[in-house]
Amino acid sequence: MHIQDTHWASASALTTGGGTVSAATGNGRGDGPRTTPLRVDAQRNLEHVLRAAREVFGELGYGAPMEDVARRARVGVGTVYRRFPSKDVLVRRIAEEETSRLTDQARAALGQEDEPWSALSRFLRTSVASGAGRLLPPQVLRVGVPEEVGGSGTGAEAARVPQQRTQPGAGELRLVPEEREPTAGADDDAGAAALLEVVGRLVERARAAGELRADVSVSDVLLVIATAAPSLPDPAQQAAASSRLLDILLEGLRSRP
């Protein structure tokens, strides 16, 4: 199923068996449709499911079962499957929204910070504070050494992965394309490509200003976001740990005379 077919916030999300959910009027004979109460309930359930999915996947990863999402949302697992007919559809919905949010945060940092290092660090701090790193889609986070992807790569790969001016050497990280599943749509690639492009601009600006280590790539920056967003039971401890870890990682990214 295409990811765009799962925008359940639209009216089509509030249908069952191909028809609009409705209720009979008070006389019990069904003299006319009365859709508002069930539509409100359906929308509320959808919001609960999406919120629960973000929490569960953020804590346990995308391998968490749908039953956990249903329990957190306080709905039956059948309710989850009525809106998302497979776990893959739900995962793609969450990953798509998270990718879009990160892209917006990166664009905001570019537009509101004139100093290159401030723009990059602002993006990292905003993204880590939002917990976005725990929900980054797998195709964005997959990395490998150059030998695993055949040197310079194909033209298709070059179109998807921003060129990084990194120093050559063993263990250099770079983003690699994920094997596409038959159900994956072009919008997955488009969202990931937009994120990679805008983060690439942040990286290039900071590197050109001499404030970012020459060997740091876009993949390294995204790994920082994923690494610096731990999931701890106490919110205050989690915020403190994320802030401290990010401070350390930023020092590791910064160029020194």
Side-chain angles (χ1 to χ4, degrees), residues 50-135:
L50 290 173
R51 185 181 304 112
R54 292 186 189 98
E55 293 175 357
V56 170
F57 292 148
E59 295 169 9
L60 304 177
Y62 283 124
M66 293 282 265
E67 288 78 7
D68 285 1
V69 174
R71 279 193 292 270
R72 185 71 62 93
R74 296 185 178 181
V75 299
V77 71
T79 297
V80 179
Y81 278 109
R82 276 196 295 274
R83 283 148 181 83
F84 302 97
S86 74
K87 180 182 172 182
D88 181 68
V89 172
L90 177 57
V91 166
R92 290 185 183 280
R93 169 70 178 267
I94 298 298
E96 180 188 57
E97 291 180 352
E98 211 60 27
T99 300
S100 178
R101 179 164 66 150
L102 276 174
T103 304
D104 290 342
Q105 290 171 349
R107 286 175 178 153
L110 275 171
Q112 298 174 17
E113 295 286 348
D114 295 329
E115 204 279 318
W117 179 256
S118 296
L120 180 60
S121 60
R122 171 177 174 157
F123 166 64
L124 286 169
R125 292 189 185 281
T126 302
S127 300
V128 170
S130 70
R134 294 190 296 273
L135 293 169

Side-chain angles (χ1 to χ4, degrees), residues 35-36 43 57-58 88 92 95 100 111 131 180 199 236:
T35 62
T36 301
Q43 180 64 27
F57 292 148
D88 181 68
R92 290 185 183 280
S100 178
R180 304 306 297 161
V199 175

